[in-house]
Amino acid sequence: MMKRKEQGATLIVVLMLLLAITIIGTLAIRQSLVSLNIATNSQATQLMLQNSDAAIFNVEDSTNLARSLARDGMFGYIKTDSNKGKELVFCFRGSNTQFFNLSDASLIYLNDSGTLVDTDLGVAGYCQSGGTNNFFTSNRRAVMTQVSVSFVANAAGSQPFEDSVRGTDDDIPLDKRQKVIVHAVSLMPTISTATTANIDTCLRRLSNSTNANFSINACLTNLNVPFTTHVTEYTLGQEFL
């Protein structure tokens, strides 16, 4: 009888040890998954930031500046008074030999009635997360970066004549200084559960908008799509010292 009691006590101890090992193992696996998710998110964010930086580097490349200021260039096409507030959009595609080409750009803006217009130049400028064409920054098809360029009017409270050309006489026709904002939105559709159709719908929204109904950032956030937005402001003009 005593022997059976000892066997029963041993069995209980073994079961308790197995239960403790199972709990410890489960906690260890859960902690590992959390650490893996943190590492993955950190790597994804770093990769998206690098792609946004690469796009901005091309915008600031001095060898591209003259071409960008041409009538059909990245800045030249959008800098007229009639285009103030509109966004010139294009996808930074690694397979393209040119950083910007007007034939691969789109124009998006809100008209006077508050309706979003995104087809004035066609739809070739918007990145597409699905399909067979490569709209990604590399052949790895991990990150896509969409760039938008828009000129803005002077902000309220600006100093008088701060945008005037300095150091020239009146006989030299020069462009006045103008402020331009460049948004580079990088995202990773492959680690998102959102459909390609929904992601592509977000990419046909405004980068420079505080209205959630028309904002790329708000749309991607609602879909839980990993993304980063790099915003840079420049002052373009001519100056002689």
Side-chain angles (χ1 to χ4, degrees), residues 130-172:
T132 57
N133 293 330
N134 185 7
F135 284 87
F136 292 81
T137 56
S138 71
N139 288 329
R140 294 175 59 188
R141 294 176 178 259
V143 181
M144 57 173 49
T145 300
Q146 184 165 288
V147 182
S148 73
V149 182
S150 59
F151 280 82
V152 294
N154 292 339
S158 60
Q159 296 298 318
F161 308 111
E162 70 174 6
D163 292 332
S164 300
V165 178
R166 299 180 178 90
T168 64
D169 58 42
D170 294 335
D171 295 331
I172 303 178

Side-chain angles (χ1 to χ4, degrees), residues 19-76:
L19 179 61
I21 292 173
T22 301
I23 293 174
I24 294 173
T26 301
L27 292 175
I29 293 173
R30 181 176 297 177
Q31 182 62 37
S32 298
L33 291 175
V34 171
S35 299
L36 179 61
N37 287 334
I38 293 174
T40 300
N41 290 337
S42 177
Q43 292 174 353
T45 300
Q46 186 64 29
L47 187 58
M48 289 185 291
L49 286 173
Q50 290 174 354
N51 280 266
S52 293
D53 286 342
I56 297 300
F57 175 81
N58 279 275
V59 172
E60 298 176 349
D61 189 353
S62 59
T63 59
N64 293 333
L65 185 57
R67 182 70 189 86
S68 297
L69 291 171
R71 187 182 298 270
D72 60 346
M74 178 172 50
F75 297 136

Side-chain angles (χ1 to χ4, degrees), residues 90-153:
F90 62 96
C91 192
F92 176 31
R93 300 168 65 175
S95 58
N96 287 357
T97 56
Q98 289 183 313
F99 175 64
F100 174 81
N101 192 316
L102 189 59
S103 62
D104 291 327
S106 298
L107 198 64
I108 184 170
Y109 60 94
L110 291 177
N111 61 18
D112 294 336
S113 63
T115 302
L116 189 68
V117 180
D118 60 4
T119 57
D120 273 8
L121 283 179
V123 297
Y126 306 108
C127 293
Q128 298 178 25
S129 57
T132 57
N133 293 330
N134 185 7
F135 284 87
F136 292 81
T137 56
S138 71
N139 288 329
R140 294 175 59 188
R141 294 176 178 259
V143 181
M144 57 173 49
T145 300
Q146 184 165 288
V147 182
S148 73
V149 182
S150 59
F151 280 82
V152 294

